[in-house]
Amino acid sequence: MTPSTRDTEKAHLRASLRTARAALDPADRQDQSRALAGAVVEHLRSLPSAPSGTPRHGPTVAVYLGVDPEPDTAPLLQELHDLGFGVVVPICEPEYQLSWASWFPGVPLQRSVRAPVLEPTGKRFSFDEVPDVAVILVPALGVDGSGHRVGQGGGYYDRFLARYPLGAPGAVPRMGVVYRSEVLPAGTIPSEPYDQPLGGVFTPDGLLRFGTAGSSV
Ligand SMILES: Nc1nc2c(c(=O)[nH]1)N(C=O)[C@@H](CNc1ccc(C(=O)N[C@@H](CCC(=O)O)C(=O)O)cc1)CN2
Ligand SMILES: Nc1ncnc2c1ncn2[C@@H]1O[C@H](COP(=O)(O)OP(=O)(O)OP(=O)(O)O)[C@@H](O)[C@H]1O
């Protein structure tokens, strides 16, 4: 498959996943978003590094601020904060780079100038400055059983994850977050040389691991 065939195929897949996501019943999306929060929290609480005792000072989770019709991450952000995890969310920078900002309840937000997403207005830092990240939760329109992902098409996460290759010392596990219907059979998503495979995906039913190096949370 030539690169342009792959791009066209991916663009079609992205369009059909967008249409299908938008067609999900809003009440179902809310139910699935609450279940997704439960699945992520259950997994994180089982980690040896999970916060315990007082004051609770746990590792950090890289999340994102879900925008309709994405899974609503608000319940997850709140729960992680309440449990004592640190939470950071991405900021779109020039040239499709991501920086990161702390999230906490009531943090002032503004719309990004680069993408239709919300971002904290406060201090932003590079991922290297975020200590002790337990997992990177990666937004996706769909994820297949080979760990390949289709995102919004900017290439922000591919560029970001490429800087922290799996297998490198201290590489952080990366897991997609999708609705139930968005887990696709292995091989469905055309992969590009720069695509960064995910170690697994959170759905409302729990964590599905792909058996790649990125799954060892
Ligand atoms: N909530 C959230 N935050 C995120 C991402 C994401 O996927 N979700 N990103 C993941 O990289 C980055 C932002 N990337 C994005 C890039 C493009 C579009 C976008 O243009 N969406 C249009 C579709 C345009 C089209 O039809 O081509 C839209 O939603 O209307 C959205 C997010 C960083 N923050
Ligand atoms: N590591 C990289 N270096 C340079 N360009 C890249 C890299 N990764 C992706 N790109 C570019 O970004 C474009 C979009 O990539 P892709 O279709 O994989 O986006 P996506 O993963 O769906 O988007 P996002 O990560 O923003 O949700 C590609 O056409 C490619 O040119």
Side-chain angles (χ1 to χ4, degrees), residues 91 100-102 107-110 119-125:
I91 312 255
W100 297 84
S102 294
V107 66
L109 301 174
Q110 66 188 1
E119 303 174 340
T121 58
K123 184 173 157 40
R124 50 185 74 179
F125 25 82

Side-chain angles (χ1 to χ4, degrees), residues 18 64-67 70 90 92 98 115-117 139 149 152-154 156-157:
R18 276 210 178 107
Y64 60 92
L65 297 169
V67 181
E70 290 184 319
C92 296
L98 291 180
V117 295
R149 142 183 189 274
Q152 296 289 355
Y156 283 94
Y157 272 86

Side-chain angles (χ1 to χ4, degrees), residues 137-158:
L137 299 182
V138 183
L141 286 163
V143 173
D144 78 7
S146 319
H148 295 133
R149 142 183 189 274
V150 185
Q152 296 289 355
Y156 283 94
Y157 272 86
D158 284 331

